[in-house]
Amino acid sequence: MKKILFLLTIILTKILLSAGDINIWFGPGRADDTNSPYYNLMRFMDSATNSLYMAIHEIDLISAAEKISQVKNRGVYVEILLEKKWINNEENQAAIDILRKSGVKIIPDKKSSGLMHNKYIIADKKIQAIIILSLCY
């Protein structure tokens, strides 16, 4: 796990140092605001053609799980690092089940401290999101 986090840090640093435009969205936006962080995040995940890597605290937002599954079903390699204590949490089960049924690789973190509160999303080696927004209600 330390190797994965170390490599992720190196990759993120390299990507950030070579980043072109940086987009910043503030939310929450209105439910129908197509320029809100939610819609931009969905569009970014949908843009993946080769790979989608995520390190997220938890996920119970069904629409996010469905979008990730759609990306996986298009043949994109998808891997998600999740905080272990939330994987079997009842509130997250519907979203986790959607991900598992589509074959998304879910990796639990190795710590039981509850401190894996990262939120990174990388598509096709491009970083889009270092987010404060959680993919849950």
Side-chain angles (χ1 to χ4, degrees):
M1 178 57 88
K2 287 182 182 181
K3 286 182 182 180
I4 291 173
L5 291 176
F6 178 72
L7 289 173
L8 183 60
T9 301
I10 289 173
I11 291 169
L12 289 174
T13 302
K14 184 177 177 180
I15 291 168
L16 286 173
L17 290 175
S18 65
D21 295 334
I22 297 175
N23 296 307
I24 300 172
W25 298 284
F26 294 96
R30 294 182 329 267
D32 62 346
D33 180 1
T34 58
N35 198 36
S36 69
Y38 169 81
Y39 280 102
N40 281 291
L41 186 59
M42 292 298 180
R43 279 192 289 271
F44 178 72
M45 290 190 296
D46 202 33
S47 75
T49 58
N50 296 310
S51 61
L52 183 65
Y53 293 93
M54 305 174 76
I56 54 178
H57 169 65
E58 69 173 305
I59 183 168
D60 71 6
L61 192 59
I62 298 300
S63 59
E66 288 172 340
K67 177 58 71 183
I68 295 164
S69 292
Q70 290 169 3
V71 170
K72 171 68 174 148
N73 291 334
R74 285 196 332 254
V76 173
Y77 179 79
V78 180
E79 191 172 291
I80 301 176
L81 174 66
L82 280 169
E83 186 171 324
K84 180 173 58 176
K85 80 176 208 173
W86 295 103
I87 289 176
N88 295 317
N89 181 289
E90 185 177 320
E91 292 177 12
N92 296 317
Q93 281 311 294
I96 297 292
D97 288 345
I98 290 168
L99 296 171
R100 285 188 173 139
K101 284 178 185 171
S102 66
V104 169
K105 184 174 182 180
I106 298 173
I107 304 168
D109 74 328
K110 304 259 189 231
K111 302 201 179 219
S112 58
S113 64
L115 296 177
M116 202 298 282
H117 209 74
N118 301 318
K119 297 172 193 98
Y120 305 108
I121 301 175
I122 301 171
D124 302 331
K125 300 182 182 178
K126 294 180 286 190
I127 190 166
Q128 169 70 14
I130 299 174
I131 55 179
I132 306 292
L133 167 79
S134 290
L135 296 176
C136 53
Y137 296 105

